Amino acid sequence: MWDPSWKGYRKMYDERVLERINEGKAGYSKIDYALAYASWIVHDAFKGAFAWEKIKLQRTPAASIGIDLTKIKYEVGDPHKMSVYVKRAAKFFGASLVGICKLNRLWLYDGVEIDDKFEYAIVIAIEMDADGIATSPSALAAAATGVGYSKMAFILACMGEFIRNLGYDAIQCGNDTALSIPLAIDAGLGELGRNGLLITPEYGPRVRLCKIFTDLPLEPDKPIEFGVKDFCRKCKLCAIHCEANAISMDDEPSFEAVCKSNNPGALKWYVDVEKCYLYWCENAIDCSTCIKVCPYNLRTARKTLSPEEFWRLGVIDV
Ligand code: SF4
Ligand code: SF4
């Protein structure tokens, strides 16, 4: 987006939406796009979701006479017990998975500075709707993604306020501020896959990620391994099905970047995210095919679903 020499420079991936609707293809109708655009609304409209400070005073009778829980610090005697509270709160607010890690500042974006007191990251994974994703690359899969982002806004806001009400600080982040996937790996939520996404044991890559940095004393989790790297060496399904040929077919991961938008120096299969984005522009909506076809997703999801079947689910038997 910053490089004028690139083909996709400042190109919006849904620029061709009207053309796409007029083509009359299943999964790209006005009703499908209406759902996809609606799905993002909480994420886009609720800026408090990504607050670094108290969003709003408590709306309670006590608040009206100046009683503010944020001013009274909850003494944490046992970080393990506090972690249980935090994880339960995250699940209560709608998280599918939650883990905790020490905040490794290597994962912060260039130029971002976070006070040293923010020692921990609470990392949350939100399951995306399996039936929507099963229609990828249609606009209905994009709707599943959008719902993931809107749920993220809700959970982040509630978690940030929960922590502040205990007298501690919270920095709520979506895709901003730091790389979510390495933090999720550190927090024990999964491993990195060939498709460049976090693979969780529970949902495979069919999750959205967000994180909260805090000074609340917590107990970090440990990274997990359940054979993803070995499985990816042979599987390659995401690479085979990617319309953009953006995913590596190499047997072995490497340290070499494949495009200007990658960060070199980590051992992994690099995804050509520029090719990926240009395919989104051609598709006139984002794509989730490398999530849909992953066998770790298919443990808990159906393989494919037509847009017509999607719309009838739960309303008319399919
Ligand atoms: S999102 Fe679609 S285009 Fe991009 S890497 Fe995945 S399968 Fe390929
Ligand atoms: S589709 Fe196969 S190769 Fe790709 S991330 Fe999933 S397991 Fe790995």
Side-chain angles (χ1 to χ4, degrees), residues 32-62:
D32 301 321
Y33 274 102
L35 193 79
Y37 288 168
S39 69
W40 278 88
I41 194 63
V42 179
H43 174 275
D44 292 353
F46 179 24
K47 297 303 173 201
F50 305 96
W52 289 25
E53 286 170 358
K54 184 98 184 120
I55 300 171
K56 190 175 183 295
L57 281 177
Q58 291 149 239
R59 249 181 90 241
T60 63

Side-chain angles (χ1 to χ4, degrees), residues 238 241-244 246-247 271 276 279-280 287-290:
C238 52
H241 288 274
C242 173
E243 300 267 0
I247 302 176
V271 175
C276 167
Y279 171 70
W280 290 16
C287 158
S288 293
T289 300
C290 50

Side-chain angles (χ1 to χ4, degrees):
M1 290 297 153
W2 49 262
D3 179 1
S5 72
W6 182 50
K7 212 174 150 190
Y9 177 62
R10 296 206 176 159
K11 211 172 156 73
M12 294 297 106
Y13 63 75
D14 59 348
E15 265 174 25
R16 289 184 52 241
V17 57
L18 294 180
E19 203 184 309
R20 206 76 171 108
I21 289 172
N22 289 335
E23 284 168 8
K25 194 176 163 192
Y28 300 87
S29 68
K30 185 156 188 257
I31 197 162
D32 301 321
Y33 274 102
L35 193 79
Y37 288 168
S39 69
W40 278 88
I41 194 63
V42 179
H43 174 275
D44 292 353
F46 179 24
K47 297 303 173 201
F50 305 96
W52 289 25
E53 286 170 358
K54 184 98 184 120
I55 300 171
K56 190 175 183 295
L57 281 177
Q58 291 149 239
R59 249 181 90 241
T60 63
S64 69
I65 54 165
I67 297 175
D68 180 359
L69 284 189
T70 64
K71 303 274 188 291
I72 310 157
K73 203 161 200 149
Y74 176 85
E75 289 309 324
V76 178
D78 179 356
H80 170 75
K81 203 169 166 195
M82 194 64 240
S83 300
V84 173
Y85 285 130
V86 159
K87 288 180 180 178
R88 175 68 189 116
K91 292 259 174 125
F92 174 72
F93 291 130
S96 307
L97 305 169
V98 53
I100 294 164
C101 61
K102 285 267 198 177
L103 173 57
N104 180 347
R105 282 164 164 74
L106 281 176
W107 308 137
L108 296 176
Y109 292 145
D110 282 351
V112 172
E113 284 184 23
I114 301 287
D115 193 290
D116 288 349
K117 74 174 184 174
F118 291 94
E119 262 194 83
Y120 299 96
I122 301 161
V123 189
I124 289 168
I126 301 154
E127 181 192 7
M128 289 188 286
D129 182 81
D131 300 317
I133 295 294
T135 71
S136 180
S138 87
L140 298 168
T145 300
V147 173
Y149 277 100
S150 280
K151 285 183 177 172
M152 180 191 293
F154 176 87
I155 298 166
L156 280 175
C158 295
M159 281 303 289
E161 292 297 277
F162 172 63
I163 291 167
R164 290 182 198 105
N165 288 341
L166 295 171
Y168 293 85
D169 284 322
I171 292 178
Q172 298 148 214
C173 321
N175 291 352
D176 56 286
T177 313
L179 293 162
S180 295
I181 296 175
L183 286 165
I185 293 171
D186 288 350
L189 297 188
E191 285 187 65
L192 184 66
R194 175 185 289 275
N195 54 8
L197 302 174
L198 180 80
I199 311 283
T200 65
E202 294 83 356
Y203 312 104
R206 190 170 40 82
V207 291
R208 301 255 57 109
L209 298 172
C210 58
K211 63 269 182 188
I212 299 153
F213 304 150
T214 184
D215 55 345
L216 184 65
L218 295 170
E219 180 184 64
D221 293 297
K222 290 189 173 58
I224 54 168
E225 281 191 17
F226 55 105
V228 171
K229 196 176 269 179
D230 281 342
F231 193 83
C232 285
R233 277 195 175 92
K234 299 248 163 16
C235 168
K236 301 183 182 175
L237 275 173
C238 52
I240 292 165
H241 288 274
C242 173
E243 300 267 0
N245 295 321
I247 302 176
S248 168
M249 286 289 282
D250 293 349
D251 289 342
E252 293 301 323
S254 89
F255 288 99
E256 304 292 326
V258 295
C259 68
K260 212 190 275 184
S261 301
N262 294 144
N263 273 325
L267 183 64
K268 60 182 187 178
W269 286 282
Y270 284 83
V271 175
D272 190 330
V273 291
E274 294 171 15
K275 282 187 183 168
C276 167
Y277 189 77
L278 290 174
Y279 171 70
W280 290 16
C281 296
E282 191 188 319
N283 192 42
I285 198 79
D286 52 273
C287 158
S288 293
T289 300
C290 50
I291 297 173
K292 171 174 101 168
V293 300
C294 179
Y296 287 103
N297 166 49
L298 296 175
R299 285 173 170 183
T300 50
R302 68 179 91 217
K303 211 167 182 174
T304 190
L305 196 68
S306 73
E308 197 197 334
E309 287 167 332
F310 171 91
W311 278 109
R312 291 169 57 179
L313 270 181
V315 184
I316 301 171
D317 286 346
V318 284

